[in-house]
mmCIF file of all heavy atoms in Angstrom:
data_model
loop_
_atom_site.group_PDB
_atom_site.id
_atom_site.type_symbol
_atom_site.label_atom_id
_atom_site.label_comp_id
_atom_site.label_asym_id
_atom_site.label_seq_id
_atom_site.Cartn_x
_atom_site.Cartn_y
_atom_site.Cartn_z
ATOM 1 N N ILE A 53 103.302 93.754 134.784
ATOM 2 C CA ILE A 53 102.617 93.837 133.455
ATOM 3 C C ILE A 53 103.414 94.647 132.460
ATOM 4 O O ILE A 53 103.566 94.243 131.295
ATOM 5 C CB ILE A 53 101.231 94.523 133.729
ATOM 6 C CG1 ILE A 53 100.318 93.520 134.464
ATOM 7 C CG2 ILE A 53 100.564 94.751 132.351
ATOM 8 C CD1 ILE A 53 99.014 94.119 134.876
ATOM 9 N N THR A 57 104.966 93.178 129.052
ATOM 10 C CA THR A 57 104.650 93.935 127.768
ATOM 11 C C THR A 57 105.904 94.297 127.004
ATOM 12 O O THR A 57 105.984 94.084 125.762
ATOM 13 C CB THR A 57 103.823 95.163 128.032
ATOM 14 O OG1 THR A 57 102.589 94.819 128.759
ATOM 15 C CG2 THR A 57 103.414 95.886 126.694
ATOM 16 N N LEU A 58 106.824 94.836 127.735
ATOM 17 C CA LEU A 58 108.083 95.295 127.150
ATOM 18 C C LEU A 58 108.870 94.083 126.553
ATOM 19 O O LEU A 58 109.441 94.129 125.503
ATOM 20 C CB LEU A 58 108.876 96.101 128.155
ATOM 21 C CG LEU A 58 110.319 96.654 127.657
ATOM 22 C CD1 LEU A 58 110.045 97.648 126.512
ATOM 23 C CD2 LEU A 58 110.997 97.349 128.803
ATOM 24 N N LEU A 64 109.185 90.226 119.893
ATOM 25 C CA LEU A 64 108.553 90.364 118.556
ATOM 26 C C LEU A 64 109.521 91.040 117.552
ATOM 27 O O LEU A 64 109.682 90.673 116.424
ATOM 28 C CB LEU A 64 107.212 91.021 118.601
ATOM 29 C CG LEU A 64 106.101 90.264 119.269
ATOM 30 C CD1 LEU A 64 104.849 91.140 119.428
ATOM 31 C CD2 LEU A 64 105.684 89.054 118.480
ATOM 32 N N THR A 79 117.415 81.965 98.414
ATOM 33 C CA THR A 79 117.340 82.447 97.040
ATOM 34 C C THR A 79 116.241 81.842 96.245
ATOM 35 O O THR A 79 116.074 80.666 96.186
ATOM 36 C CB THR A 79 118.685 82.158 96.282
ATOM 37 O OG1 THR A 79 119.785 82.686 97.051
ATOM 38 C CG2 THR A 79 118.645 82.888 94.919
ATOM 39 N N VAL A 80 115.446 82.638 95.644
ATOM 40 C CA VAL A 80 114.398 82.200 94.651
ATOM 41 C C VAL A 80 114.964 82.556 93.288
ATOM 42 O O VAL A 80 115.672 83.490 93.032
ATOM 43 C CB VAL A 80 113.163 83.079 94.871
ATOM 44 C CG1 VAL A 80 112.085 82.708 93.884
ATOM 45 C CG2 VAL A 80 112.501 82.782 96.276
ATOM 46 N N VAL A 90 117.429 92.914 77.424
ATOM 47 C CA VAL A 90 117.161 94.204 78.078
ATOM 48 C C VAL A 90 118.029 94.263 79.341
ATOM 49 O O VAL A 90 118.148 93.297 80.105
ATOM 50 C CB VAL A 90 115.692 94.257 78.457
ATOM 51 C CG1 VAL A 90 115.327 95.577 79.110
ATOM 52 C CG2 VAL A 90 114.760 94.057 77.308
ATOM 53 N N ILE A 94 118.952 97.409 89.776
ATOM 54 C CA ILE A 94 118.411 97.633 91.074
ATOM 55 C C ILE A 94 119.240 98.769 91.774
ATOM 56 O O ILE A 94 120.493 98.698 91.712
ATOM 57 C CB ILE A 94 118.317 96.407 91.916
ATOM 58 C CG1 ILE A 94 119.649 95.584 91.958
ATOM 59 C CG2 ILE A 94 117.209 95.523 91.514
ATOM 60 C CD1 ILE A 94 119.717 94.394 92.887
ATOM 61 N N GLY A 98 120.285 103.254 100.303
ATOM 62 C CA GLY A 98 120.754 102.767 101.671
ATOM 63 C C GLY A 98 119.571 102.259 102.505
ATOM 64 O O GLY A 98 119.855 101.620 103.540
ATOM 65 N N LEU A 111 109.245 97.342 73.408
ATOM 66 C CA LEU A 111 108.176 96.746 74.151
ATOM 67 C C LEU A 111 107.287 97.815 74.859
ATOM 68 O O LEU A 111 106.140 97.596 75.086
ATOM 69 C CB LEU A 111 108.708 95.782 75.228
ATOM 70 C CG LEU A 111 109.471 94.534 74.657
ATOM 71 C CD1 LEU A 111 110.178 93.738 75.717
ATOM 72 C CD2 LEU A 111 108.516 93.698 73.813
ATOM 73 N N LYS A 119 104.704 111.015 82.488
ATOM 74 C CA LYS A 119 105.004 112.109 81.541
ATOM 75 C C LYS A 119 106.210 112.937 82.020
ATOM 76 O O LYS A 119 106.356 113.206 83.129
ATOM 77 C CB LYS A 119 103.718 112.960 81.429
ATOM 78 C CG LYS A 119 102.450 112.302 81.055
ATOM 79 C CD LYS A 119 102.415 111.846 79.620
ATOM 80 C CE LYS A 119 101.117 111.174 79.185
ATOM 81 N NZ LYS A 119 101.069 110.832 77.824
ATOM 82 N N GLU A 124 109.493 118.523 87.445
ATOM 83 C CA GLU A 124 109.804 119.931 87.400
ATOM 84 C C GLU A 124 110.818 120.241 86.231
ATOM 85 O O GLU A 124 110.728 121.249 85.534
ATOM 86 C CB GLU A 124 110.448 120.316 88.700
ATOM 87 C CG GLU A 124 110.759 121.855 88.793
ATOM 88 C CD GLU A 124 111.465 122.234 90.067
ATOM 89 O OE1 GLU A 124 111.497 121.423 91.023
ATOM 90 O OE2 GLU A 124 112.089 123.396 90.121
ATOM 91 N N PHE A 154 105.101 110.096 114.366
ATOM 92 C CA PHE A 154 104.603 108.745 114.901
ATOM 93 C C PHE A 154 103.383 108.322 114.127
ATOM 94 O O PHE A 154 103.241 107.111 113.837
ATOM 95 C CB PHE A 154 104.345 108.869 116.377
ATOM 96 C CG PHE A 154 103.787 107.636 116.972
ATOM 97 C CD1 PHE A 154 104.627 106.534 117.313
ATOM 98 C CD2 PHE A 154 102.451 107.491 117.168
ATOM 99 C CE1 PHE A 154 104.079 105.365 117.798
ATOM 100 C CE2 PHE A 154 101.888 106.264 117.713
ATOM 101 C CZ PHE A 154 102.715 105.264 118.000
ATOM 102 N N SER A 155 102.443 109.171 113.894
ATOM 103 C CA SER A 155 101.215 108.739 113.170
ATOM 104 C C SER A 155 101.429 108.179 111.804
ATOM 105 O O SER A 155 100.878 107.225 111.484
ATOM 106 C CB SER A 155 100.276 109.987 113.070
ATOM 107 O OG SER A 155 100.896 111.042 112.382
ATOM 108 N N ALA A 161 103.182 101.034 109.347
ATOM 109 C CA ALA A 161 103.602 99.721 109.897
ATOM 110 C C ALA A 161 102.378 98.740 109.836
ATOM 111 O O ALA A 161 102.564 97.526 109.679
ATOM 112 C CB ALA A 161 104.060 99.887 111.326
ATOM 113 N N PHE A 173 113.516 109.924 86.699
ATOM 114 C CA PHE A 173 114.248 109.876 85.450
ATOM 115 C C PHE A 173 115.739 110.059 85.730
ATOM 116 O O PHE A 173 116.093 110.858 86.471
ATOM 117 C CB PHE A 173 113.738 110.933 84.416
ATOM 118 C CG PHE A 173 112.422 110.591 83.855
ATOM 119 C CD1 PHE A 173 111.293 111.346 84.270
ATOM 120 C CD2 PHE A 173 112.200 109.662 82.893
ATOM 121 C CE1 PHE A 173 110.004 111.075 83.752
ATOM 122 C CE2 PHE A 173 110.987 109.416 82.366
ATOM 123 C CZ PHE A 173 109.851 110.077 82.770
ATOM 124 N N ILE A 200 104.937 96.018 87.225
ATOM 125 C CA ILE A 200 105.081 97.422 87.553
ATOM 126 C C ILE A 200 103.801 98.113 87.194
ATOM 127 O O ILE A 200 103.184 98.944 87.943
ATOM 128 C CB ILE A 200 106.341 98.080 86.907
ATOM 129 C CG1 ILE A 200 107.516 97.562 87.635
ATOM 130 C CG2 ILE A 200 106.268 99.624 87.166
ATOM 131 C CD1 ILE A 200 108.846 97.935 87.057
ATOM 132 N N LYS A 206 94.811 103.511 88.010
ATOM 133 C CA LYS A 206 94.664 104.156 86.677
ATOM 134 C C LYS A 206 93.204 104.676 86.602
ATOM 135 O O LYS A 206 92.269 104.303 87.214
ATOM 136 C CB LYS A 206 94.888 103.106 85.603
ATOM 137 C CG LYS A 206 96.300 102.488 85.599
ATOM 138 C CD LYS A 206 96.453 101.496 84.463
ATOM 139 C CE LYS A 206 97.852 100.903 84.422
ATOM 140 N NZ LYS A 206 98.086 99.988 85.616
ATOM 141 N N THR A 217 102.088 117.514 93.848
ATOM 142 C CA THR A 217 102.670 117.829 95.183
ATOM 143 C C THR A 217 103.921 118.629 95.037
ATOM 144 O O THR A 217 104.547 118.622 93.961
ATOM 145 C CB THR A 217 103.062 116.442 95.901
ATOM 146 O OG1 THR A 217 103.703 116.729 97.101
ATOM 147 C CG2 THR A 217 103.912 115.618 95.020
ATOM 148 N N TYR A 228 102.699 108.946 91.947
ATOM 149 C CA TYR A 228 101.507 108.367 91.343
ATOM 150 C C TYR A 228 100.799 107.622 92.363
ATOM 151 O O TYR A 228 101.349 106.820 93.213
ATOM 152 C CB TYR A 228 101.763 107.582 90.094
ATOM 153 C CG TYR A 228 102.410 108.423 88.965
ATOM 154 C CD1 TYR A 228 103.817 108.529 89.035
ATOM 155 C CD2 TYR A 228 101.723 109.138 88.021
ATOM 156 C CE1 TYR A 228 104.448 109.307 87.977
ATOM 157 C CE2 TYR A 228 102.280 109.861 87.117
ATOM 158 C CZ TYR A 228 103.662 109.955 87.058
ATOM 159 O OH TYR A 228 104.307 110.788 86.117
ATOM 160 N N SER A 235 103.226 97.784 104.811
ATOM 161 C CA SER A 235 103.083 97.338 106.195
ATOM 162 C C SER A 235 104.513 96.725 106.528
ATOM 163 O O SER A 235 105.464 96.716 105.717
ATOM 164 C CB SER A 235 102.082 96.146 106.318
ATOM 165 O OG SER A 235 102.603 94.950 105.637
ATOM 166 N N HIS A 238 105.089 93.990 104.129
ATOM 167 C CA HIS A 238 105.129 94.330 102.638
ATOM 168 C C HIS A 238 105.620 95.758 102.569
ATOM 169 O O HIS A 238 104.890 96.702 102.480
ATOM 170 C CB HIS A 238 103.732 94.207 102.045
ATOM 171 C CG HIS A 238 103.738 94.339 100.552
ATOM 172 N ND1 HIS A 238 103.305 95.405 99.913
ATOM 173 C CD2 HIS A 238 104.143 93.461 99.633
ATOM 174 C CE1 HIS A 238 103.452 95.255 98.634
ATOM 175 N NE2 HIS A 238 103.954 94.056 98.417
ATOM 176 N N TRP A 243 108.246 94.969 97.740
ATOM 177 C CA TRP A 243 107.684 95.218 96.400
ATOM 178 C C TRP A 243 108.771 95.044 95.353
ATOM 179 O O TRP A 243 108.505 94.380 94.307
ATOM 180 C CB TRP A 243 107.140 96.635 96.322
ATOM 181 C CG TRP A 243 106.614 97.008 95.031
ATOM 182 C CD1 TRP A 243 105.384 96.806 94.502
ATOM 183 C CD2 TRP A 243 107.365 97.698 93.951
ATOM 184 N NE1 TRP A 243 105.232 97.279 93.233
ATOM 185 C CE2 TRP A 243 106.477 97.849 92.871
ATOM 186 C CE3 TRP A 243 108.676 98.184 93.844
ATOM 187 C CZ2 TRP A 243 106.854 98.483 91.603
ATOM 188 C CZ3 TRP A 243 109.029 98.762 92.711
ATOM 189 C CH2 TRP A 243 108.123 98.872 91.535
ATOM 190 N N PHE A 261 113.964 94.472 103.747
ATOM 191 C CA PHE A 261 115.136 95.413 103.700
ATOM 192 C C PHE A 261 115.914 95.338 102.346
ATOM 193 O O PHE A 261 115.866 94.208 101.735
ATOM 194 C CB PHE A 261 116.110 95.165 104.796
ATOM 195 C CG PHE A 261 115.471 95.135 106.154
ATOM 196 C CD1 PHE A 261 115.557 94.026 107.010
ATOM 197 C CD2 PHE A 261 114.790 96.282 106.609
ATOM 198 C CE1 PHE A 261 114.955 94.038 108.269
ATOM 199 C CE2 PHE A 261 114.241 96.321 107.869
ATOM 200 C CZ PHE A 261 114.320 95.196 108.715
ATOM 201 N N HIS A 268 121.937 88.909 97.017
ATOM 202 C CA HIS A 268 121.901 87.927 95.957
ATOM 203 C C HIS A 268 122.617 88.453 94.701
ATOM 204 O O HIS A 268 122.743 87.752 93.699
ATOM 205 C CB HIS A 268 120.473 87.538 95.639
ATOM 206 C CG HIS A 268 119.689 87.011 96.742
ATOM 207 N ND1 HIS A 268 119.807 85.643 97.186
ATOM 208 C CD2 HIS A 268 118.803 87.568 97.686
ATOM 209 C CE1 HIS A 268 119.151 85.478 98.238
ATOM 210 N NE2 HIS A 268 118.503 86.586 98.552
#
Side-chain angles (χ1 to χ4, degrees):
I53 293 174
T57 302
L58 182 60
L64 290 173
T79 308
V80 175
V90 182
I94 47 175
L111 295 174
K119 307 289 187 180
E124 182 183 345
F154 175 80
S155 59
F173 288 104
I200 292 176
K206 300 181 179 71
T217 178
Y228 298 87
S235 74
H238 189 256
W243 176 86
F261 305 122
H268 302 281

